Amino acid sequence: MSHPTAAPPDAERKIVILGAGPTGLGAAYRLQELGYRNFRLVEARGKVGGLASSETSPNGFTYDIGGHVLFSHYEYFDRLFDKLMGDDYQELVREAWVWMCGRFVPYPLQNNIKDLPKEVVLEIVMGLVEAQKTPLDLDAIENFEQLIMKQFGAGLAKYFMMPYNFKVWAHPPRMMNKEWIGERVALPSLQRVLGNVILDRADAGWGPNNTFKYPRYGGTGGLFERIVPYVKEHLQLERAAARVDLDAKVVHFADGTTESYDVLMSTLPMDKFVGMTGGAAPTAVRDEAARLRHSGSFIVGVGVDRPADTSKCWMYYPEGDCPFYRVTYLSNYSPEVVPDYTRQHSLLAEISHSEFKAEDRETVVDRTIEGMLNTRLLRESDVDKIVDTYVIERDYTYPTPSLERDAALRTIHPWLHGHDVYSRGRFGAWRYEVGNMDHSVAQGVEWANRVVLGEVEEELTYQAKRGC
């Protein structure tokens, strides 16, 4: 990613960016960095950050929209973080766990099964041995469930991989493709697993985020709020896009106003954006957009009037004794997310929902507290010490890497680009693999470099190669 500073000759083209989440903010920041001035960044909500924003409850507890951590694949993002945050951040060593069989086991589970009951260890090891008797033939594997069975075996599939992945994705793994996992799932080495069991060896260091950063103030949203001073002259809040006229190149907003453009970047969910184009979308594009799948979430924050008694960061929950799939000790990330860190701590639970996994909004707080008691996050004596509960609800939190997804993207992106529209971001690109905060910022930055400088979007090269 190059970083020139001079504005190009065609800077008079008007750019409109829909959505001031990480991708929209990344694009806007890069445009102003390049000296480009003719752009507008428009956000429907009253604050920036999108799914990476944070909210503060009436009782003064700050909660993120999910368990975010900051680790980066990009030098540009690292430099931007350092510039924006200065010394106002915490640097932490990951301490992640899996709650299973009535105990906490170090993450990743597949490398630490020695801590499970012996009969479960035997079942997992035998399943892994059986699964890896024959070489992996990816071409013969049709979906994520088949990959789980072939790579992890029946034991790990039964106890963790199948129930956990349904909990987090709210879709059966058989409906998901096998291409998305990348570095996000630790594929097991039989030699490593057996060595850890026989030698009683702990093995918790795997993963791209074994150390991470976190803003000291304002949660993850505190990082993105610091971009605002650089783009504020171009930023408009509380202005929701309602319809897009692709022929006239005009965005119509819910408040009755309009905005013309020469180039448009949308970070809105791709299926919603296609719907906003009305009859302009061909039947094939509308049909493919309707095939895109996603899940939503209830994010439940719980504030407790006692200090945390652990250094844990986050925990995974595959079993049915709780509704959540992950809980974060958010106050362990920063003392500033609770009113008084010396006597309080906070927990952040994530519960997914979809057409395949219904969740009751009215009972989600009570079920979350019950689940925290069941899994020893809370003691019975803590119930009277709960001083805050807060629910954040979002209908779009995970873009599902479904079997239909890639074919849909190959149809929709070229059609949009033919109208000078670029769909980017976690739900704009609809690629979970590049949906972390650093990925999302990089999408915006690389898009700005593409439009202004003619560079290739490295983060979305697969689209560029297909004429997208």
Side-chain angles (χ1 to χ4, degrees):
M1 192 183 298
S2 61
H3 315 290
T5 56
D10 60 352
E12 70 275 4
R13 290 193 304 167
K14 183 177 179 181
I15 293 173
V16 172
I17 302 167
L18 298 180
T23 302
L25 288 167
Y29 182 88
R30 181 61 176 152
L31 288 172
Q32 63 82 32
E33 187 178 45
L34 289 168
Y36 206 104
R37 293 291 176 262
N38 192 17
F39 71 92
R40 183 82 70 195
L41 174 61
V42 187
E43 167 58 43
R45 297 181 182 272
K47 64 192 303 183
V48 302
L51 289 174
S53 62
S54 306
E55 298 186 9
T56 300
S57 73
N59 294 319
F61 288 77
T62 297
Y63 301 107
D64 296 335
I65 304 178
H68 300 297
V69 298
L70 289 161
F71 68 98
S72 172
H73 302 76
Y74 308 101
E75 291 182 11
Y76 184 97
F77 184 87
D78 293 335
R79 289 197 302 270
L80 179 61
F81 181 92
D82 291 342
K83 177 178 180 178
L84 295 174
M85 299 307 301
D87 295 328
D88 292 339
Y89 67 91
Q90 307 280 105
E91 190 155 15
L92 302 107
V93 176
R94 181 191 71 202
E95 191 176 327
W97 299 78
V98 178
W99 172 263
M100 211 173 98
C101 299
R103 68 201 69 188
F104 284 112
V105 179
Y107 168 88
L109 173 68
Q110 48 267 43
N111 291 345
N112 293 282
I113 61 171
K114 70 180 185 64
D115 296 322
L116 295 171
K118 293 186 182 301
E119 62 272 17
V120 176
V121 174
L122 178 62
E123 188 174 353
I124 289 174
V125 168
M126 294 304 294
L128 188 58
V129 169
E130 181 65 28
Q132 296 194 2
K133 279 183 178 178
T134 56
L136 178 67
D137 181 3
L138 282 174
D139 292 336
I141 293 175
E142 298 178 357
N143 57 52
F144 184 40
E145 180 175 326
Q146 291 180 5
L147 182 63
I148 287 172
M149 297 301 296
K150 179 57 184 173
Q151 285 285 75
F152 296 89
L156 269 173
K158 168 186 170 182
Y159 287 104
F160 182 77
M161 293 298 295
M162 291 295 290
Y164 176 76
N165 278 287
F166 180 71
K167 256 189 165 185
V168 65
W169 291 103
H171 285 75
R174 68 177 179 275
M175 297 179 67
M176 298 168 61
N177 70 42
K178 62 178 184 288
E179 288 79 17
W180 68 273
I181 61 171
E183 65 181 15
R184 294 177 182 268
V185 178
L187 298 179
S189 159
L190 182 57
Q191 180 178 354
R192 186 171 182 173
V193 170
L194 288 175
N196 293 344
V197 170
I198 294 170
L199 299 176
D200 194 25
R201 181 175 59 202
D203 188 358
W206 178 90
N209 56 357
N210 52 7
T211 62
F212 62 93
K213 297 177 180 179
Y214 190 82
R216 184 173 179 88
Y217 304 100
T220 54
L223 169 63
F224 295 99
E225 290 285 351
R226 295 193 181 203
I227 297 180
V228 171
Y230 296 91
V231 300
K232 62 182 179 181
E233 65 182 273
H234 306 278
L235 174 64
Q236 293 183 340
L237 301 175
E238 297 184 312
R239 198 178 179 204
R243 182 171 63 86
V244 179
D245 186 332
L246 295 178
D247 293 328
K249 291 191 172 182
V250 174
V251 182
H252 296 258
F253 294 90
D255 61 6
T257 62
T258 62
E259 196 80 53
S260 62
Y261 64 87
D262 294 303
V263 181
L264 179 68
M265 182 173 80
S266 170
T267 67
L268 308 182
M270 182 183 281
D271 58 345
K272 284 191 170 184
F273 183 86
V274 169
M276 289 167 56
T277 65
T283 300
V285 170
R286 293 198 302 270
D287 288 348
E288 293 293 354
R291 285 155 60 86
L292 294 171
R293 297 184 179 276
H294 71 280
S295 59
S297 296
F298 295 112
I299 312 298
V300 180
V302 178
V304 185
D305 199 23
R306 71 165 171 83
D309 56 3
T310 178
S311 58
K312 289 183 174 72
C313 295
W314 68 85
M315 296 75 60
Y316 301 104
Y317 295 86
E319 298 177 339
D321 53 0
C322 58
F324 39 79
Y325 61 85
R326 182 170 60 188
V327 173
T328 300
Y329 273 97
L330 201 60
S331 54
N332 284 354
Y333 290 6
S334 168
E336 306 299 335
V337 299
V338 295
D340 185 351
Y341 181 71
T342 64
R343 63 181 183 87
Q344 295 168 329
H345 75 277
S346 62
L347 297 162
L348 189 76
E350 299 169 73
I351 301 99
S352 66
H353 60 81
S354 74
E355 60 191 293
F356 303 101
K357 183 176 177 287
E359 293 288 348
D360 183 2
R361 170 68 171 80
E362 297 303 315
T363 63
V364 72
V365 171
D366 289 341
R367 289 186 292 116
T368 294
I369 292 172
E370 180 181 3
M372 288 179 174
L373 290 167
N374 292 341
T375 59
R376 301 180 194 168
L377 290 173
L378 293 177
R379 312 162 188 158
E380 290 292 342
S381 59
D382 288 330
V383 174
D384 292 336
K385 298 176 183 176
I386 294 175
V387 292
D388 194 55
T389 58
Y390 190 77
V391 180
I392 302 171
E393 182 177 357
R394 293 290 185 271
D395 291 334
Y396 283 73
T397 48
Y398 279 81
T400 309
S402 64
L403 296 173
E404 309 93 341
R405 181 198 67 176
D406 290 352
L409 297 181
R410 287 194 294 269
T411 297
I412 299 169
H413 275 295
W415 176 74
L416 291 174
H417 290 188
H419 292 275
D420 292 316
V421 175
Y422 300 80
S423 191
R424 298 292 185 268
R426 185 178 179 92
F427 275 99
W430 213 280
R431 291 188 70 221
Y432 173 75
E433 305 92 304
V434 287
N436 279 349
M437 286 185 290
D438 64 323
H439 290 132
S440 297
V441 170
Q443 284 192 48
V445 171
E446 291 185 357
W447 174 82
N449 288 344
R450 171 180 178 163
V451 172
V452 175
L453 304 174
E455 294 185 358
V456 173
E457 294 173 90
E458 295 176 7
E459 194 55 62
L460 294 174
T461 297
Y462 91 105
Q463 293 176 355
K465 288 180 177 177
R466 291 164 173 78
C468 302

